[in-house]
Amino acid sequence: MDELVVVAGATGYVGRHLVEGLDARGYRVRALVRSRDRAEKPGAFGAPSLSGHVAEWRIVDFEAPETIEGVCEGADRVVSALGVTRQKASPWQIDFRGNLAVLADAEKHALASFAYVNVLHSDAGDSMTMRSKFAFAQALSRSRVTPQIVNPSGYFSDMTDFLRMAQRGMGFTMGSGSTKVNPIHGADLASFIVDRVGGAGGAWDVGGPDTFTYRQLEELAFRVAGRTPHILRVGEGVGDAMTWLADRGSPRLGNLTRFFVESLTVDAVGTPIGERHLEPYLRSVA
Ligand SMILES: NC(=O)c1ccc[n+]([C@@H]2O[C@H](COP(=O)([O-])OP(=O)(O)OC[C@H]3O[C@@H](n4cnc5c(N)ncnc54)[C@H](OP(=O)(O)O)[C@@H]3O)[C@@H](O)[C@H]2O)c1
């Protein structure tokens, strides 16, 4: 296979697994990155280095649209895992406008498809992260470039937050902790996406092989940490109070808090795919 695939968000947890997976399947990768030096070092949460997996580098800044022009020229397809998670930028600027700039360039250069890593239930979310992702997914679904929209549940990388809290002897659930999630490893998600690159358009809700309640996730985290569980049960009304307070702090804090509360109170269970299980992953990063 000699197709050239533009990867946006190539240095992220999922992006790194995507680049590695595309390269392994014989695609040539054009990676859009802020720093090649950082890209060639191992990523966080066990994600791989991009060293040796990239055919072409483009240095971009998604907050400076002029740096996006021409990134799709001469390429065949786009895969995007671009989005704000722990970064400081606004999700509207990056998840929506950044991806939109790449899509405009893909349309201009008549690329065949655009695979986008969205998030499960972005259509119902209230946070700026959810709204920005949903807005881009809608724009993509109306594009003349074949849209492939993948809606994952939570990632293994995010589940390490529960482990770090358990290692400090703390844990909590919102209400009884009965909200469900089936977290997925970045490599399993990447493999699912790479299988679809080159195929038909569509939308897929996906998650990992095991479904947990947040209570069970806390218990798992304490087991892996080797500590006696101390799990505080936070009343459901506290989420509203936290969001109200955070909104008065800054838009970023308000969005993060709203997104966090959404995650803890709305089930995120996609079609189970992949083979990697959470417990051995958490043990590997403990
Ligand atoms: N984490 C989850 O549980 C979860 C669940 C479902 C869906 N998602 C979505 O999946 C996508 C990938 O998630 P992830 O955990 O792999 O995220 P991540 O590790 O934070 O990676 C995000 C990517 O976007 C890039 N990016 C962010 N802000 C940027 C900016 N201002 N300018 C240039 N590049 C920027 C990052 O570049 P740098 O490395 O240079 O920062 C990185 O390459 C995100 O859109 C996320 O919303 C996440």
Side-chain angles (χ1 to χ4, degrees):
M1 186 158 346
D2 198 32
E3 285 197 335
L4 179 62
V5 180
V6 175
V7 180
T11 47
Y13 172 66
V14 170
R16 287 171 180 269
H17 286 291
L18 279 167
V19 171
E20 187 180 60
L22 287 162
D23 179 42
R25 232 52 90 73
Y27 290 100
R28 288 183 305 121
V29 171
R30 178 182 289 165
L32 311 186
V33 302
R34 293 200 258 202
S35 157
R36 177 170 172 177
D37 185 46
R38 192 155 48 80
E40 294 200 290
K41 295 195 167 83
F45 310 110
S49 155
L50 299 192
S51 183
H53 297 300
V54 174
E56 297 180 17
W57 298 92
R58 292 282 189 283
I59 305 301
V60 298
D61 175 358
F62 287 97
E63 291 176 80
E66 66 280 6
T67 66
I68 310 304
E69 270 174 42
V71 293
C72 292
E73 192 172 357
D76 298 286
R77 303 177 185 281
V78 177
V79 176
S80 174
L82 172 68
V84 170
T85 59
R86 292 166 167 81
Q87 299 83 358
K88 290 207 166 61
S90 127
W92 189 254
Q93 182 71 34
I94 304 300
D95 297 61
F96 178 62
R97 297 184 67 167
N99 277 302
L100 201 60
V102 181
L103 178 60
D105 205 61
E107 289 177 332
K108 179 175 170 189
H109 297 286
L111 268 59
S113 63
F114 191 124
Y116 173 56
V117 181
N118 189 24
V119 61
L120 211 54
H121 307 318
S122 65
D123 54 334
D126 191 29
S127 62
M128 189 49 72
T129 295
M130 291 291 212
R131 290 175 194 219
S132 304
K133 300 187 89 60
F134 180 60
F136 178 69
Q138 285 204 304
L140 176 58
S141 63
R142 292 194 300 270
S143 166
R144 54 183 183 275
V145 174
T146 298
Q148 299 180 308
I149 300 170
V150 179
N151 307 309
S153 61
Y155 299 157
F156 279 15
S157 52
D158 273 11
M159 302 303 134
T160 58
D161 289 343
F162 295 103
L163 176 61
R164 300 297 167 227
M165 285 199 304
Q167 286 170 328
R168 291 194 292 268
M170 300 183 318
F172 77 95
T173 61
M174 195 71 85
S176 63
S178 59
T179 302
K180 295 191 180 98
V181 61
N182 61 334
I184 185 164
H185 192 289
D188 281 339
L189 178 59
S191 171
F192 178 87
I193 294 168
V194 174
D195 282 347
R196 266 135 205 93
V197 170
W204 300 269
D205 291 352
V206 297
D210 308 312
T211 298
F212 301 87
T213 64
Y214 277 96
R215 175 91 203 170
Q216 291 168 330
L217 276 177
E218 288 287 1
E219 288 163 357
L220 171 62
F222 276 96
R223 196 160 63 244
V224 172
R227 300 202 53 162
T228 307
H230 292 292
I231 304 171
L232 181 70
R233 182 176 167 151
V234 176
E236 284 176 13
V238 172
D240 291 340
M242 278 164 55
T243 309
W244 187 89
L245 268 177
D247 278 341
R248 268 127 202 98
S250 71
R252 177 168 184 263
L253 190 59
N255 173 56
L256 284 174
T257 307
R258 194 169 268 107
F259 183 68
F260 178 63
V261 172
E262 276 169 356
S263 309
L264 294 178
T265 51
V266 180
D267 285 347
V269 180
T271 303
I273 58 164
E275 300 159 355
R276 291 166 177 85
H277 296 276
L278 185 59
E279 181 160 351
Y281 171 80
L282 289 181
R283 289 195 186 285
S284 76
V285 296

